[in-house]
Amino acid sequence: MVSLLSLPLFITSSLSLLLAAFFTLLYVRITRFHQEAVKNYIIFAISALSNSLFFGAFAIFLNSAEFPIVLNITNRITVISAMFSFLLSLHFYLAFFNYRAPIFLRWSYCICVVFSFFALFPNAYFLDSALFSTSKYYTGLVYGPLFELWGGWVLILSGYSVFVIIKVFQRQRQRGKVGSGTVLLLLIANIVWLITGVLDMLTGLQFIDIPPLTWAGSFFVICCIAWLLIKDIDGLYEAKRNLNTQLMFDHVTNACSRSYLDVRMTESFNLLLRGQLSSVAVCVFDIDYFKEVNDTYGHETGDTVLAGITKVVKGAIRTSDCIARLGGDEFVILINNHDAHNDVPKLMERIRAQILDTEYEVKGRKFQVSCSFGVAEVLSTFDDTGIDDVPSFILAKADDALYHVKRNGRNSIACVSVLSANSCNDIELLSSF
């Protein structure tokens, strides 16, 4: 029987050690590069390391009946590591599920250190050495009164762990949160761990005589916690992806955000100055009399109009271009030209006409909106000498062209070609309707 248990014990020890190494590296990476609060990862890593020592020492212990010194050492390692495994698991649950740690938690570590001190050396009060078989599965165990006290202490820790998970499970169910099934699995694993621990203790005290089972319950708990952390990692990166999406896109129109537009414009002008683009065009446009739309039909309809215009523009431009919302009803279109044959004014005219042809209906009333466009196109011969912020410089030129349109009747397009840092041609009104 002993020889059959040694292989799975060594396997579980190796797997636990790998989990400890993995989550330690993960903790270092996340805290260093992402500044996320994941202290529960390092708590679990230490717990997995403690369990790997328990599994490995227990496997050696079960095969060391003929080696009194090895038997004595591994016996004490299993006792100490098992004690800290229970405590670290409790610490993990409190940290992971955001429970305020009770004041006795830090004292629990002190108590475990005291018990460890008594377990280090053979003595009649805690654990003495013996060269005879005390049960069918254990050899070399002579327990003193402090050992029984230690067993009660471990049961308190494990019982409190189960209590915490029960409270977490109830809280998850009440709040309707996804993940209560995982908490239930963790609760079952801890109950199994508690039962196997009690059975092993009764075997050691010679009340019963069954094969060692605590290692199986402990490994079951480790696997469940690792699965919980893997799901937590998925949630962590999903939240980061959602945050990036919120930073990159406007939630009303799904156009690019102002901050993301700054990134795209900087990239485009860097490519232009390196000669990888023939020109870059920046178009600033807004909706004519948009306040009247909001006042007449409501802000919800106004949001629908903004989203509809964004959809029209996205359908007309390429994936290498982008549309961004600056705020309110003001948008920017960024056009990257890889050759000199693309006619930006004609593209803007097509977009202007499509926006004007789009109808909106509210409670049986149909209406259309028009837009005014200001375009600034930068050629590859552009000289950026003396300009600290090229994107802002070009955006200001396009904004000037937009206001030129507004002073001349709206629903039209004005264009300015920026030829150098210090000069540009006069603003040209291309269309008026």
Side-chain angles (χ1 to χ4, degrees), residues 41 64 67 80 121 139 152 170 182 237 247 295 347 363 395 418:
Y41 286 18
S64 303
F67 305 98
I80 295 172
F121 308 101
T139 300
Q170 291 175 343
T182 304
Y237 282 97
L247 292 174
D295 293 343
L347 172 62
K363 296 180 181 180
L395 197 61
V418 181

Side-chain angles (χ1 to χ4, degrees), residues 129-399:
S129 297
L131 303 179
F132 57 89
S133 177
T134 54
S135 73
K136 182 178 179 181
Y137 300 98
Y138 300 119
T139 300
L141 303 177
V142 178
Y143 304 114
L146 284 179
F147 187 87
E148 296 177 359
L149 184 62
W150 169 82
W153 167 247
V154 170
L155 289 178
I156 290 173
L157 290 177
S158 56
Y160 188 72
S161 297
V162 173
F163 170 77
V164 168
I165 299 175
I166 290 174
K167 298 297 288 183
V168 169
F169 178 71
Q170 291 175 343
R171 185 175 65 179
Q172 298 284 88
R173 290 288 297 273
Q174 290 172 356
R175 296 180 180 180
K177 286 189 175 182
V178 178
S180 59
T182 304
V183 179
L184 179 60
L185 179 63
L186 194 60
L187 176 61
I188 294 171
N190 276 268
I191 292 174
V192 170
W193 192 14
L194 180 60
I195 293 173
T196 56
V198 171
L199 292 176
D200 274 13
M201 186 175 297
L202 293 175
T203 299
L205 294 173
Q206 301 180 36
F207 288 106
I208 58 176
D209 200 6
I210 61 174
L213 296 172
T214 303
W215 67 273
S218 179
F219 189 66
F220 184 25
V221 170
I222 287 177
C223 291
C224 289
I225 294 177
W227 171 246
L228 184 70
L229 287 178
I230 289 172
K231 292 188 67 176
D232 181 63
I233 294 169
D234 288 342
L236 186 68
Y237 282 97
E238 180 63 28
K240 190 175 290 292
R241 284 192 293 270
N242 291 337
L243 178 60
N244 288 337
T245 299
Q246 292 173 9
L247 292 174
M248 290 172 59
F249 298 99
D250 173 62
H251 71 283
V252 174
T253 63
N254 205 32
C256 295
S257 66
R258 173 62 189 267
S259 58
Y260 186 49
L261 173 67
D262 291 340
V263 174
R264 291 290 299 269
M265 289 181 67
T266 300
E267 291 176 349
S268 295
F269 286 112
N270 285 338
L271 292 174
L272 179 74
L273 296 174
R274 290 200 299 265
Q276 294 178 260
L277 292 175
S278 62
S279 68
V280 173
V282 175
C283 172
V284 179
F285 74 95
D286 62 12
I287 303 172
D288 298 329
Y289 309 108
F290 184 65
K291 185 177 182 301
E292 294 182 6
V293 174
N294 279 331
D295 293 343
T296 304
Y297 302 103
H299 288 278
E300 185 175 348
T301 300
D303 290 344
T304 301
V305 171
L306 294 172
I309 289 174
T310 303
K311 185 177 180 180
V312 169
V313 175
K314 282 187 172 182
I317 62 177
R318 301 161 301 183
T319 55
S320 59
D321 307 326
C322 79
I323 175 175
R325 184 185 179 193
L326 292 185
D329 64 322
E330 192 171 26
F331 293 85
V332 173
I333 304 174
L334 178 66
I335 305 293
N336 295 317
N337 286 327
H338 293 273
D339 55 64
H341 302 294
N342 292 318
D343 195 330
V344 175
K346 286 185 178 179
L347 172 62
M348 294 302 109
E349 168 56 24
R350 188 163 64 251
I351 291 174
R352 186 205 63 79
Q354 289 177 359
I355 292 174
L356 186 62
D357 290 341
T358 303
E359 285 190 342
Y360 301 91
E361 183 174 352
V362 179
K363 296 180 181 180
R365 297 173 61 187
K366 295 182 179 180
F367 68 95
Q368 297 165 287
V369 296
S370 63
C371 292
S372 299
F373 297 77
V375 181
E377 187 170 13
V378 190
L379 305 180
S380 57
T381 55
F382 176 72
D383 179 12
D384 66 332
T385 304
I387 300 179
D388 295 329
D389 188 349
V390 175
S392 296
F393 175 80
I394 306 304
L395 197 61
K397 292 296 182 183
D399 210 37

